[in-house]
Amino acid sequence: MRILVSSLFAAGLVLASGMSQAQAPGTRVRGEVEAVDGSTLTVKNGNDEKVSISLAPNYSVGAVVKASVADIKKGSFIGVGARPQPDGTLLAVQVFIFPEAMRGTGEGHRPWGVLPDSTMTNATVADTVSRVDGANLVLAYPGGEQKVTITPEANIIMAAPAEAAELKPGAQVAMTASRQADGKLTASRVTIAKPGAQLPM
């Protein structure tokens, strides 16, 4: 059990780096692993460009699995990437259900640098109303709250453990890489999408 909790915590850390993109400068790399050569990953991104990333010593690997509205309970701590709606509420684009060990990570409401005019809210679910086509949530954090609508189009994911051996050609991966002085990219955390799950943005 201790090993599983540690693995889930590491997986959550991988995701947390992406969920706080607005505050953490770096180069987002997202796509399919083309090749693995020692500690170097070659990833084909969404523009069909091949990007080489050097994995830092002792890098960590985590995964995401597909989740659903049913996995979001009152009291859950979640991160919601969303776009504003005309009535002042938010429409969820991506929802990440944090492991309990990471409750409070990046808590608050701020701009989300991944999509134009979008926000990221890491908060506790204070209220949830299920609907046939999704759910309405109230997210509470120190100093405020946000009302969020989740539709079937939203990417709902949660952390799961993964192993370095899963970094192989065909794997769907996402990471935030740092550009070194020589122009090369280095990453210390990699997220793998398990079958059926969509990569985090």
Side-chain angles (χ1 to χ4, degrees), residues 8-26:
L8 287 173
F9 185 75
L13 281 176
V14 173
L15 264 293
S17 66
M19 303 304 273
S20 57
Q21 177 68 14
Q23 297 178 355

Side-chain angles (χ1 to χ4, degrees), residues 19-180:
M19 303 304 273
S20 57
Q21 177 68 14
Q23 297 178 355
T27 300
R28 288 289 289 166
V29 178
R30 187 174 184 272
E32 181 178 314
V33 175
E34 283 274 298
V36 181
D37 182 6
S39 61
T40 300
L41 284 182
T42 300
V43 177
K44 183 170 69 175
N45 63 23
N47 298 321
D48 283 336
E49 299 169 336
K50 294 183 180 181
V51 182
S52 292
I53 305 100
S54 296
L55 298 174
N58 301 317
Y59 68 92
S60 60
V61 178
V64 292
V65 294
K66 182 177 176 60
S68 69
V69 168
D71 296 307
I72 303 172
K73 312 293 185 182
K74 185 174 181 180
S76 295
F77 187 78
I78 64 176
V80 180
R83 287 194 168 106
Q85 299 189 95
D87 63 358
T89 62
L90 299 173
L91 179 64
V93 175
Q94 175 175 287
V95 180
F96 175 64
I97 304 171
F98 278 93
E100 184 59 30
M102 294 194 69
R103 176 176 293 276
T105 300
E107 192 169 26
H109 177 73
R110 56 192 169 275
W112 190 33
V114 175
L115 295 173
D117 302 319
S118 62
T119 59
M120 174 58 63
T121 307
N122 287 9
T124 299
V125 178
D127 193 19
T128 176
V129 178
S130 296
R131 308 194 321 260
V132 174
D133 59 346
N136 292 324
L137 308 179
V138 176
L139 301 182
Y141 52 89
E145 67 176 30
Q146 299 292 329
K147 294 180 179 180
V148 179
T149 297
I150 301 177
T151 67
E153 288 72 34
N155 178 26
I156 307 175
I157 51 180
M158 59 195 304
E163 298 180 359
E166 295 177 66
L167 288 175
K168 55 188 178 182
Q172 298 294 314
V173 297
M175 68 204 81
T176 299
S178 301
R179 192 169 295 280
Q180 305 303 305

